[in-house]
């Protein structure tokens, strides 16, 4: 019987998930470290609420932990984890919509909501404030968009995924992805113009 190979940060995602499937928990920890921040950023952009995004990402990693055998090497690991997170974020959005019917005063943004963009300590206060304002405007605009456009715009523009990766995550064909991306970009420009004019 061969001895378990040590895990390194130089291994690909697919090598790490394979090592985890073979019983090496250190590989799982490397994958969490590699994807946690980018998934929180993605889900936060999708939901507009940091605490909900954090919960969704934690649940995504719990599913990877418990259902590691469901991953098949025919797909990239990044596609698999983003698909899990996207589906959970959509479920959370539906749950929120159902809940909002019974809570007319819900604002959708908690007072204690945190920003996940960490300022560069070299930036001065004015530049940080300007950047924060721009980020808030973008987030407000994203939350006003239909979710079918929002998820494609976030995956392409913010997460910088390829068309093929977005197709795999969303289950859409490439023509639909490109169409939704174009419409989503146009809607985002329109919303940002409206926000600037307010």
């Amino acid at each position: 019987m061969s001895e378990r190979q040590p895990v390194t940060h130089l291994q690909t995602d697919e090598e790490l998930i394979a090592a985890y499937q073979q019983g090496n928990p250190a590989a799982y920890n490397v994958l969490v470290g590699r994807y946690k921040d980018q998934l929180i950023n993605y889900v936060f952009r999708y939901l507009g609420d940091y605490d909900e995004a954090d919960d969704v990402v934690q649940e995504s990693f719990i599913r990877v932990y418990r259902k590691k055998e469901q991953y098949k090497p025919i797909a990239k690991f990044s596609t698999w984890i983003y698909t899990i997170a996207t589906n959970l974020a959509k479920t959370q959005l539906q749950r929120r919509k159902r809940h909002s019917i019974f809570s007319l005063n819900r604002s959708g943004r908690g007072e204690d909501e945190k920003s996940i963009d960490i300022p560069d300590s070299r930036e001065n206060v004015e530049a940080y404030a300007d950047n924060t304002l721009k980020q808030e405007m973008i987030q407000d605009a994203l939350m006003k968009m239909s979710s079918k456009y929002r998820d494609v715009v976030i995956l392409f523009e913010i997460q910088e995924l390829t068309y093929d990766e977005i197709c795999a995550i969303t289950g859409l064909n490439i023509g639909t992805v490109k169409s939704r991306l174009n419409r989503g970009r146009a809607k985002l420009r329109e919303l940002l113009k409206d926000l600037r004019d307010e």
Side-chain angles (χ1 to χ4, degrees):
M1 191 168 84
S2 64
E3 196 175 307
R4 182 185 294 171
Q5 295 296 315
V7 172
T8 74
H9 289 275
L10 300 176
Q11 288 176 284
T12 67
D13 297 340
E14 291 70 32
E15 289 169 338
L16 289 167
I17 188 65
Y20 178 52
Q21 287 174 328
Q22 292 164 14
N24 190 335
Y28 171 80
N29 294 333
V30 174
L31 287 168
V32 171
R34 193 173 282 181
Y35 279 93
K36 184 178 180 189
D37 289 345
Q38 61 183 282
L39 283 175
I40 286 178
N41 187 44
Y42 164 60
V43 177
F44 171 75
R45 292 292 187 183
Y46 192 85
L47 296 175
D49 182 286
Y50 180 84
D51 291 330
E52 287 182 356
D54 192 47
D55 290 344
V56 164
V57 172
Q58 284 187 38
E59 179 61 26
S60 299
F61 283 117
I62 288 169
R63 293 206 179 179
V64 169
Y65 184 83
R66 291 181 178 161
K67 300 182 179 190
K68 63 180 182 263
E69 299 309 325
Q70 290 185 1
Y71 171 77
K72 304 297 180 204
I74 55 171
K76 291 173 69 174
F77 174 80
S78 60
T79 301
W80 189 54
I81 187 72
Y82 268 93
T83 302
I84 292 170
T86 299
N87 290 336
L88 289 170
K90 287 180 178 179
T91 300
Q92 179 60 30
L93 202 57
Q94 290 300 322
R95 191 177 297 131
R96 184 197 296 170
K97 286 177 182 174
R98 284 194 302 272
H99 181 263
S100 69
I101 294 170
F102 303 103
S103 180
L104 299 177
N105 294 326
R106 181 174 167 85
S107 68
R109 296 192 121 205
E111 288 178 19
D112 62 344
E113 183 178 302
K114 305 173 194 86
S115 171
I116 60 169
D117 294 321
I118 301 168
D120 186 334
S121 59
R122 294 169 294 183
E123 292 180 349
N124 62 39
V125 175
E126 286 179 17
Y128 175 62
D130 184 52
N131 185 52
T132 301
L133 180 61
K134 286 177 184 171
Q135 292 298 320
E136 286 177 4
M137 288 175 67
I138 291 168
Q139 187 60 40
D140 287 343
L142 285 168
M143 295 311 298
K144 289 178 181 176
M145 292 172 65
S146 165
S147 62
K148 72 178 185 179
Y149 300 128
R150 181 169 65 236
D151 59 355
V152 174
V153 169
I154 294 169
L155 288 168
F156 188 82
E157 296 292 348
I158 297 173
Q159 299 305 117
E160 300 181 346
L161 299 183
T162 66
Y163 289 124
D164 288 341
E165 289 170 325
I166 295 169
C167 289
I169 291 165
T170 61
L172 301 170
N173 65 48
I174 196 161
T176 304
V177 167
K178 288 180 176 181
S179 172
R180 289 189 181 182
L181 181 60
N182 287 335
R183 289 180 184 168
R185 283 171 167 163
K187 184 65 178 171
L188 188 59
R189 280 193 297 271
E190 177 188 324
L191 288 167
L192 287 170
K193 180 182 180 298
D194 291 345
L195 286 170
R196 283 194 300 267
D197 292 343
E198 285 177 3

